[in-house]
Amino acid sequence: MKVAVCIKRVPDMEMRFSLAADKKSLDPAGLKYEMGDFDGYALEVGLQLVEKQGGEVVVISVGPDGAQETLRKGLAMGAARAVQLKAEQVPFDGLAIAHALATELAEGGYDLVLFGRVATDTGNGTVGPMTAQLLDLPCITSISQLEIAEGRGTARRELEGSAETMQFTLPAVLTIDEGIARPRLASLKGIMAAKKKPLEVKPAQLGEPRLVVESMALPPDRPPGRIVGEGADAVPELLRALQTEAKVL
């Protein structure tokens, strides 16, 4: 089985950040980057499938040279090789990114193309389905359970208050949700081996962006809280504030 896992270099969501001077992007100063959480789930799914059925996992990322660190992490976890589709700036438009990925994936002969359900920086969740459309492949999103056997797959998707099970034929594009698998930690042996695994760099054939960020702004500071009293005597004033000021009752 040949599996491609598309991963993204994203800022660490635990760090504080500020906006760049253009107010259209984040200030990269002091940011730490990592593989997106959902991409890690997708990579673990791909590795487990190949361990059971044989084959290889290829990790692919669109981005600047800094993306190579993320790709090397994927190699250290167990991927066989990596491809960087080099772009100094990754557009916000998911379709532009999907064009670059579809161009690379089209001739790869992959049985499965895996994505994380959503990128943790933009939260769009569009690149996987758009890539599937460009490749004319079936697409199942937000998968929480997956089985592959004899050229067919069965996937479970969690819905609001319910779930659905879908069947599909290979090749296919899937986006992976949390809970399906915990990403493994790279071993020292894996980290050393990753240095010798092939990492190919190609120019990204991005599509023309049709969706752009005009401006970004941080949410306004919350007003300070106040104490309305103590004990039972404070209840009437608290109710009044909730009804007339906060307007939540």
Side-chain angles (χ1 to χ4, degrees):
M1 173 174 285
K2 192 174 182 181
V3 181
V5 183
C6 300
I7 62 177
K8 186 178 183 183
R9 171 183 179 260
V10 299
D12 184 346
M13 295 292 107
E14 299 297 323
M15 298 188 68
R16 295 181 63 87
F17 62 88
S18 58
L19 299 182
D22 63 4
K23 302 298 183 182
K24 296 181 180 182
S25 60
L26 298 183
D27 184 351
L31 287 181
K32 178 183 177 183
Y33 292 88
E34 61 184 7
M35 183 187 303
D37 291 342
F38 292 94
D39 297 345
Y41 306 142
L43 179 53
E44 181 61 30
V45 168
L47 293 172
Q48 290 185 14
L49 286 171
V50 166
E51 288 168 354
K52 292 177 182 177
Q53 303 189 24
E56 70 169 1
V57 172
V58 181
V59 285
I60 303 173
S61 185
V62 177
D65 286 338
Q68 292 185 18
E69 181 180 357
T70 306
L71 290 168
R72 289 291 181 194
K73 180 178 180 180
L75 294 173
M77 291 171 64
R81 55 190 179 90
V83 179
Q84 176 199 359
L85 302 178
K86 187 171 181 176
E88 293 304 325
Q89 297 290 334
V90 179
F92 184 80
D93 186 355
L95 186 57
I97 301 170
H99 271 287
L101 291 170
T103 300
E104 172 63 24
L105 294 164
E107 304 301 325
Y110 295 102
D111 300 294
L112 280 176
V113 178
L114 303 181
F115 290 82
R117 176 177 67 82
V118 65
T120 51
D121 56 349
T122 61
N124 287 341
T126 58
V127 177
M130 287 177 171
T131 302
Q133 178 68 24
L134 293 173
L135 294 173
D136 194 26
L137 293 178
C139 179
I140 313 295
T141 60
S142 305
I143 293 174
S144 59
Q145 294 180 21
L146 177 65
E147 294 182 4
I148 303 290
E150 299 179 353
R152 296 185 62 86
T154 302
R156 176 185 170 95
R157 304 176 68 243
E158 304 299 327
L159 306 175
E160 183 102 19
S162 63
E164 65 180 5
T165 299
M166 307 183 72
Q167 293 185 328
F168 58 92
T169 57
L170 303 184
V173 176
L174 312 176
T175 76
I176 305 300
D177 206 348
E178 60 185 332
I180 190 171
R182 182 185 296 274
R184 66 192 66 186
L185 297 175
S187 65
L188 178 59
K189 180 180 179 181
I191 294 171
M192 298 303 293
K195 297 179 181 179
K196 299 180 180 180
K197 291 180 179 178
L199 193 163
E200 187 176 4
V201 179
K202 303 178 180 180
Q205 303 298 315
L206 294 165
E208 184 66 28
R210 293 185 288 180
L211 180 66
V212 297
V213 176
E214 291 290 340
S215 65
M216 299 174 68
L218 296 174
D221 294 334
R222 292 183 178 181
R226 74 175 193 271
I227 298 175
V228 298
E230 296 183 5
D233 293 340
V235 172
E237 174 59 17
L238 176 61
L239 290 174
R240 186 202 66 77
L242 291 174
Q243 290 172 336
T244 62
E245 297 180 25
K247 297 185 180 348
V248 296
L249 292 180

